[in-house]
Amino acid sequence: MTQPSGSSPEKTLSQATKDRRATPSFLPDPVPENDLKKILDAGLSAPSAYNLQPWRFVVVRDAEQRARLRQAAMKQPKVEEAPVVIVACADLEGWRRGDLDEVIRLAQHNGYGDEARYASTRKNISSLFDSAPGAAGGLAPDFAVWANRQTMIAFTTMMWMAEVLGYDTAPMEGFYEDQVKAALGIPAHVRVVALLAIGHRKGEDKLFAGRFAMQRTVFAEKWGNPIP
Ligand SMILES: Cc1cc2nc3c(=O)[nH]c(=O)nc-3n(C[C@H](O)[C@H](O)[C@H](O)COP(=O)(O)O)c2cc1C
């Protein structure tokens, strides 16, 4: 639901979760730089396993780039209409290309942990992520799934921050990954996870299609026990 953004008070998260719809169509009104920064900062403050932050984001605002991205995103008009589209990616090689070093440098800088801990973190992560999925006693993850999981937390945090600031959003998985990569120059070792359009909706909001009753999807103590 659109409200004035910028200097107006932020919505509560409770209100935002009630109001949010996957916006079908956007006005061209821009998202000011300071709001975009807040949205990005919120996402980048998300948690990730080992604090490894495998996510990468391409912020697409340029009209020609949005037009190219739209073609890659099954020609969905909202990709070109929205003033900002954030393309969430997962870097499958980041941990070995400097991210692990940076995680440890940050921890040292912030006085978190000690040298023994940094050494064991480096050893454990390297052996885990260098193993085939399911190895290491079943602990080694399918790395693409692992990186996707982390990235979606940051992506979703950005979506809620945009909603709290009074913007409308549209998450999208309807795109051809190879085409998105070609349009944005994304390297081979990076996966495209999802697109997030942000702006102000044009016309009526999409109707609420409903959600499953809690009893269907939430269990108490054991699988299948309905929550009272
Ligand atoms: C990860 C993800 C991908 C989605 N991809 C698309 C998409 O490509 N195109 C689209 O029109 N809607 C897309 N949607 C919107 C969903 O269809 C929508 O969220 C769902 O129908 C529920 O509607 P609501 O969000 O308005 O409550 C996507 C939603 C999510 C969470």
Side-chain angles (χ1 to χ4, degrees):
M1 179 189 270
T2 299
Q3 277 183 1
S5 49
S7 55
S8 62
E10 294 183 8
K11 277 188 196 180
T12 63
L13 185 55
S14 306
Q15 192 60 47
T17 59
K18 284 198 186 82
D19 290 349
R20 188 208 58 80
R21 297 275 66 82
T23 298
S25 187
F26 288 86
L27 294 167
D29 311 17
V31 175
E33 202 67 33
N34 58 333
D35 282 350
L36 179 60
K37 183 79 189 342
K38 273 190 195 171
I39 292 164
L40 294 170
D41 276 341
L44 300 185
S45 71
S48 59
Y50 308 107
N51 200 24
L52 267 172
Q53 307 160 66
W55 50 62
R56 302 288 185 267
F57 298 93
V58 183
V59 177
V60 181
R61 285 174 290 187
D62 176 75
E64 285 178 15
Q65 277 300 73
R66 281 186 286 134
R68 283 190 199 101
L69 189 58
R70 176 186 178 180
Q71 293 306 309
M74 297 171 167
K75 301 190 170 56
Q76 297 190 65
K78 55 191 163 222
V79 176
E80 202 172 348
E81 291 170 359
V84 180
V85 181
I86 297 176
V87 180
C89 304
D91 187 338
L92 305 190
E93 292 287 326
W95 72 273
R96 71 167 98 243
R97 294 189 185 194
D99 284 1
L100 181 52
D101 296 332
E102 181 64 2
V103 166
I104 290 172
R105 191 196 66 76
L106 280 170
Q108 280 168 330
H109 176 77
N110 290 301
Y112 173 80
D114 53 36
E115 290 306 323
R117 184 184 174 125
Y118 305 143
S120 76
T121 299
R122 186 182 291 285
K123 185 165 163 280
N124 292 343
I125 290 176
S126 302
S127 74
L128 207 57
F129 289 167
D130 264 334
S131 306
L139 275 180
D142 174 330
F143 201 70
V145 173
W146 180 89
N148 188 292
R149 180 183 303 141
Q150 320 302 328
T151 302
M152 280 310 286
I153 299 174
F155 174 95
T156 309
T157 306
M158 288 182 191
M159 184 188 78
W160 287 124
M161 180 52 97
E163 293 280 338
V164 159
L165 291 175
Y167 294 99
D168 298 294
T169 61
M172 281 168 272
E173 63 179 357
F175 56 83
Y176 298 105
E177 186 177 16
D178 56 340
Q179 294 181 23
V180 173
K181 284 175 144 185
L184 305 186
I186 296 170
H189 62 277
V190 172
R191 298 298 306 268
V192 182
V193 172
L195 274 48
L196 181 66
I198 303 173
H200 291 288
R201 77 177 154 78
K202 183 167 75 187
E204 288 304 302
D205 232 348
K206 190 158 86 64
L207 290 178
F208 177 54
R211 289 296 187 270
F212 295 149
M214 193 179 284
Q215 285 71 16
R216 190 178 179 94
T217 51
V218 183
F219 306 128
E221 320 309 340
K222 278 184 135 181
W223 183 270
N225 275 353
I227 190 129

